[in-house]
Amino acid sequence: MGTKTIKRILISNDDGIDAVGIDILRKVAKKFSDDIWTIAPSENRSGASRSLTLRKDVFIEKLEDKLFRCHGTPSDCIIFGMSQILDFPPDLVLTGINYGMNVADDILYSGTVAGAMEAALLGVPAIALSQRHGPDKTIGYKPSQLFCEKVVRHILSLEIPPRVIANVNFPAFDPKLIKGIKPAHLDKHKIGDVVVAGEELNHYRLGPLKSNPETGSNSDRAVLNNGWISLTPLKIDVTARTTLKNLSTISF
């Protein structure tokens, strides 16, 4: 897919309709199309993964022309947005820009990735974008603000295969120190969770992820640490094909 074919873009996220990152992404999207639609959760739904709202209604509010607030999950935003709000499908779905990286094992929990995956399931090319944050709070969204357009153009020039999404993470570096875009595989980093006692008896809350400080060679975390923007293609088919080849059919 070339950028010339991008007539309509749908934007969503998991940080919520009022998040800073989605406003940045809308500005970037205007570089590619005049027909920009935004349908995002009413509140922060980080960690929602690919969950759907079942057995109850989902309320979608129109805030202004082509801007909607969805009282559901990131996947709900894409499903109901494309089936009930848009009169015809978009040419591209962009999700993010998430506050915090979505790398390694995180992608299994990420609503940012989930929204892009839902678009891919519905046959629309999709890119998930996230901004890593670090100890230097002055960095903020500066890397993604500066390089997002260039990254999206690069991905569109490559073409996104069916049932595949592009997962992009921007490093928490001074933009002057960012080296470029580097393909990377998913790292392995989760070793546990910090569980915090709640305010009442038998109530609990998830604290920070326990993460392995070691990074795999050429993994997404490793390239981010080295000042690159990571680009990881993710596919919907999660079949363990090597293991599948070693399985035998058993007849009864």
Side-chain angles (χ1 to χ4, degrees):
M1 169 182 287
T3 56
K4 292 181 180 179
T5 63
I6 303 296
K7 295 180 180 179
R8 169 176 284 185
I9 296 175
L10 173 60
I11 293 173
S12 193
N13 70 354
D14 71 357
D15 287 338
I17 190 72
D18 296 321
V20 173
I22 201 168
D23 284 338
I24 295 171
L25 192 54
R26 290 171 68 190
K27 291 184 178 73
V28 171
K30 289 176 181 178
K31 304 288 186 178
F32 297 88
S33 171
D34 294 325
D35 190 11
I36 308 297
W37 294 70
T38 303
I39 305 170
S42 57
E43 58 188 332
N44 192 310
R45 298 303 296 263
S46 295
S49 187
R50 293 176 64 186
S51 60
L52 305 172
T53 300
L54 302 175
R55 293 177 289 278
K56 68 176 184 179
D57 293 348
V58 173
F59 176 42
I60 300 179
E61 302 174 79
K62 183 175 181 179
L63 302 179
E64 58 184 69
D65 187 38
K66 301 181 182 180
L67 177 64
F68 295 81
R69 176 165 54 203
C70 173
H71 293 257
T73 69
S75 291
D76 289 336
C77 291
I78 301 301
I79 293 171
F80 294 117
M82 287 179 56
S83 66
Q84 303 301 312
I85 304 301
L86 275 64
D87 53 347
F88 61 89
D91 301 297
L92 177 67
V93 168
L94 300 174
T95 61
I97 298 170
N98 190 70
Y99 182 65
M101 63 181 180
N102 279 304
V103 296
D105 309 310
D106 299 345
I107 64 105
L108 298 174
Y109 307 110
S110 169
T112 304
V113 171
M117 284 285 192
E118 200 61 50
L121 274 171
L122 296 172
V124 179
I127 304 172
L129 302 122
S130 302
Q131 173 64 63
R132 187 180 195 177
H133 52 79
D136 185 352
K137 301 300 182 183
T138 66
I139 297 297
Y141 287 92
K142 289 178 183 176
S144 46
Q145 281 181 298
L146 184 60
F147 294 114
C148 187
E149 179 187 347
K150 186 173 291 187
V151 170
V152 171
R153 287 193 187 280
H154 171 65
I155 293 169
L156 294 177
S157 71
L158 298 175
E159 300 191 358
I160 304 173
R163 297 174 69 85
V164 171
I165 72 162
N167 187 42
V168 174
N169 285 274
F170 297 91
F173 275 48
D174 182 324
K176 295 176 183 177
L177 302 177
I178 293 177
K179 301 173 183 177
I181 307 166
K182 191 164 188 142
H185 62 81
L186 293 177
D187 201 8
K188 302 173 185 177
H189 77 140
K190 180 173 180 176
I191 57 177
D193 296 282
V194 174
V195 178
V196 181
E199 296 179 359
E200 299 180 38
L201 183 65
N202 297 327
H203 285 64
Y204 305 94
R205 181 176 300 180
L206 278 177
L209 178 76
K210 292 180 181 177
S211 182
N212 185 348
E214 299 293 327
T215 59
S217 177
N218 296 317
S219 69
D220 45 14
R221 284 200 307 156
V223 305
L224 284 173
N225 288 346
N226 289 323
W228 296 90
I229 298 165
S230 69
L231 171 57
T232 305
L234 303 175
K235 61 181 182 177
I236 291 172
D237 182 357
V238 294
T239 305
R241 296 190 179 275
T242 301
T243 303
L244 181 64
K245 290 178 182 178
N246 296 325
L247 301 179
S248 302
T249 300
I250 304 298
S251 300
F252 296 114

